[in-house]
């Protein structure tokens, strides 16, 4: 258990730095801002390393490191994300300046790449896990605790369906001529976002419901912690990869739109 | 597809309303088909939510679309769009306007008839 905690906390504090290093860079226009964020990352790195050393000195065997993993949020949102945003300046996709704008008249909300049937299957799986939890709950284990975890799984399914609206309604501004190439690129991004989100939501539901089942069956603290913390962290890292790659795709679309608008400007300009 | 021009003299609400009306007339949107949610169209066109909402309300007042709970705004069934005396009068006024414009621009009757018949054929072929 002690080893797991050590590896878990170490992994969680190291991965934001690893992510930034592995993230491919694009030509940087504002070197001054990047230097500023690199300095910030260096400070965060030093502070994290210092925290580790301090705890190691005080406890001599790293026994007090548990809880350091929460630093990953500070490192991710305060260091990794701003630096990655600066490593790829094409992330943001502002609306085109052109006065002529085009849009599709078909509702994206009614054409989700994840059919309703998939959600129905997910709810059935959750119900099965709920039934298994209620059926196996031991007399000496309070039923309320596993039930809470199981309901968290349902909460993720509900949130997932609401979150899907946000992904489907994200603006998809077209170029002045409504090019098919751009529409296809938006379609591919939408498919990736919706499938990725669905996968994350199902993963979260399975982890919470499985933890509930394990608590109900009195599977032991180690197994519950390994599944809950390990699975949860893996899901968090996958979420980070998913969000970052979606931003990279958005950046590519912004590039494509800028190129198409440039082509149209050239064609529209009389010789 | 819908296209708007931010620099045009026609207000954005009217542009959106006209474009959707044309799409309905051309059969690009079929009865019962949902219109894009206000947030989607406003986001894609980069206009205010209220602009699109006002255009949808105007279309609803004309009986071309209906707001349905849980489905959003959908194209009204064709049966609910029967011409009546008021709509016939309005069409007559609009036709007079087009014809007087054409005459002032120097079009002859034969040319106007030719353009009108081509438009008529185009719309009925698609719708």
């Amino acid at each position: 258990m002690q080893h797991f905690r050590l590896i878990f906390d170490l992994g969680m504090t190291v991965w934001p730095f690893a992510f930034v290093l592995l993230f491919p860079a694009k030509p940087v226009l504002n070197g001054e801002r990047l230097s500023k964020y690199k300095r910030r990352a260096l400070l965060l790195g030093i502070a994290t390393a210092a925290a580790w050393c301090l705890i190691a000195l005080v406890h001599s065997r790293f026994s007090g490191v548990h809880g350091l993993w929460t630093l990953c949020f500070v490192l991710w949102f305060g260091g990794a994300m701003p630096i990655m945003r600066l490593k790829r300046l094409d992330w943001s996709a502002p609306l085109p300046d052109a006065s002529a704008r085009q849009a599709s008249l078909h509702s994206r909300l009614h054409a989700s790449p994840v059919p309703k049937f998939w959600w129905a299957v997910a709810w059935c799986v959750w119900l099965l896990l709920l039934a298994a939890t209620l059926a196996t709950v031991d007399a000496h284990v309070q039923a309320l605790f596993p039930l809470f975890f199981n309901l968290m799984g349902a909460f993720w399914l509900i949130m997932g369906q609401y979150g899907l609206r946000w992904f489907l309604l994200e603006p998809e501004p077209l170029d002045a001529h409504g090019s098919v190439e751009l529409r296809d690129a938006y379609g591919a991004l939408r498919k990736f976002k919706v499938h990725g989100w669905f996968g994350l939501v199902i993963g979260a539901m399975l982890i919470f419901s499985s933890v509930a089942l394990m608590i109900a069956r009195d599977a032991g603290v180690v197994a519950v912690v390994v599944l809950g913390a390990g699975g949860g962290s893996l899901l968090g890292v996958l979420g980070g990869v998913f969000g970052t790659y979606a931003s990279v795709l958005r950046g590519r679309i912004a590039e494509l739109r800028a190129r198409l608008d440039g082509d149209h400007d050239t064609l529209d300009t009389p010789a | 597809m819908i296209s708007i021009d931010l620099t045009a003299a026609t207000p954005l609400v009217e542009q959106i309303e006209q474009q959707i009306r044309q799409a309905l007339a051309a059969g690009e949107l079929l009865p019962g088909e949902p219109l894009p949610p206000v947030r989607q169209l406003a986001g894609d066109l980069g206009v205010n939510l209220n602009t699109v909402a006002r255009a949808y309300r105007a279309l609803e007042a004309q009986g071309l679309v209906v707001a349905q709970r849980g489905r959003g705004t959908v194209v009204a069934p064709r049966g609910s769009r029967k011409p009546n005396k008021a709509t016939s009068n309005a069409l007559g006024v609009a036709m007079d306007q087009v014809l007087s414009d054409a005459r002032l621009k120097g079009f002859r009757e034969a040319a106007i008839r030719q353009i009108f018949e081509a438009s008529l054929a185009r719309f009925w072929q698609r719708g």
Side-chain angles (χ1 to χ4, degrees):
Chain A
M1 190 65 185
Q2 190 63 32
H3 286 104
F4 172 75
R5 283 184 167 180
L6 179 66
I7 293 166
F8 177 71
D9 282 65
L10 192 63
M12 289 302 277
T13 43
V14 163
W15 82 266
F17 294 103
F19 210 93
V20 169
L21 286 173
L22 291 171
F23 189 68
K26 276 260 171 171
V28 174
L29 297 176
N30 193 337
E32 199 182 313
R33 280 187 66 199
L34 185 62
S35 307
K36 190 180 132 197
Y37 279 108
K38 272 184 176 169
R39 272 200 303 277
R40 189 198 280 188
L42 188 67
L43 281 173
L44 282 170
I46 291 168
T48 313
W52 271 93
C53 292
L54 194 71
I55 287 165
L57 277 173
V58 171
H59 291 275
S60 71
R61 288 185 63 207
F62 291 101
S63 58
V65 293
H66 189 57
L68 265 187
W69 69 271
T70 49
L71 270 178
C72 79
F73 297 113
V74 181
L75 297 170
W76 176 251
F77 291 109
M81 279 186 71
I83 293 173
M84 283 192 294
R85 210 170 282 134
L86 281 170
K87 274 179 117 175
R88 289 187 74 105
L89 289 170
D90 57 0
W91 261 21
S92 57
L95 276 166
D97 292 330
S99 55
R101 291 175 184 179
Q102 287 220 4
S104 167
L105 270 178
H106 294 284
S107 170
R108 293 196 284 274
L109 216 52
H110 293 82
S112 170
V114 171
K116 282 182 179 163
F117 171 73
W118 291 16
W119 287 107
V121 170
W123 277 107
C124 287
V125 171
W126 174 78
L127 271 174
L128 279 174
L129 286 165
L130 174 68
T133 305
L134 290 175
T136 55
V137 70
D138 285 338
H140 62 275
V141 180
Q142 282 196 340
L144 215 60
F145 198 46
L147 205 63
F148 167 76
F149 275 96
N150 192 276
L151 286 176
M152 283 299 287
F155 166 78
W156 269 100
L157 285 182
I158 294 166
M159 283 297 292
Q161 279 166 294
Y162 275 102
L164 207 64
R165 279 181 69 90
W166 187 84
F167 284 116
L168 290 169
L169 295 182
E170 187 182 335
E172 296 183 1
L174 296 171
D175 60 314
H177 293 237
S179 306
V180 178
E181 196 182 353
L182 191 56
R183 274 186 274 164
D184 288 348
Y186 275 126
L189 170 66
R190 208 182 315 131
K191 208 171 169 183
F192 171 76
K193 284 187 301 188
V194 172
H195 283 160
W197 175 246
F198 182 74
L200 287 172
V201 166
I202 296 302
M205 182 273 286
L206 285 175
I207 288 170
F208 274 106
S209 303
S210 305
V211 164
L213 186 60
M214 286 170 88
I215 297 170
R217 295 184 75 158
D218 209 6
V221 179
V222 178
V224 171
V225 169
V226 169
L227 177 70
S233 313
L234 181 70
L235 215 59
V237 174
L238 284 175
V241 174
F242 161 70
T244 309
Y245 189 64
S247 297
V248 170
L249 289 180
R250 282 189 196 99
R252 283 185 195 156
I253 287 176
E255 269 180 6
L256 173 66
R257 206 178 55 211
R259 181 171 61 76
L260 289 169
D261 279 334
D263 288 352
H264 298 320
D265 286 347
T266 315
L267 287 173
D268 294 344
T269 309
Chain B
M1 294 291 284
I2 183 171
S3 59
I4 57 161
D5 188 352
L6 299 184
T7 56
T10 316
L12 287 174
V13 177
E14 259 178 57
Q15 286 189 48
I16 294 169
E17 189 194 323
Q18 277 171 12
Q19 295 268 327
I20 295 176
R21 255 211 315 256
Q22 276 177 16
L24 290 170
E28 284 170 29
L29 287 166
L30 299 170
E33 198 175 329
L35 255 61
V38 170
R39 222 176 93 194
Q40 178 189 318
L41 196 56
D44 290 0
L45 292 172
V47 298
N48 195 287
L49 290 172
N50 277 329
T51 307
V52 178
R54 277 170 60 197
Y56 278 18
R57 276 201 297 272
L59 290 164
E60 201 183 341
Q62 292 160 38
L64 298 174
V65 298
V66 281
Q68 283 183 358
R69 189 178 283 273
R71 283 203 77 203
T73 307
V74 299
V75 179
R78 282 196 201 281
S80 67
R81 289 189 246 147
K82 282 188 180 143
N84 54 34
K85 198 173 178 189
T87 53
S88 296
N89 287 343
L91 182 66
V93 171
M95 293 282 268
D96 287 351
Q97 181 72 46
V98 171
L99 290 174
S100 54
D101 277 355
R103 199 166 181 184
L104 285 171
K105 283 172 185 159
F107 283 93
R108 290 185 171 274
E109 192 191 334
I112 295 170
R113 197 180 292 275
Q114 199 181 353
I115 294 168
F116 180 75
E117 277 172 3
S119 291
L120 207 62
R122 202 170 56 239
F123 267 94
W124 257 253
Q125 196 180 11
R126 281 194 284 182

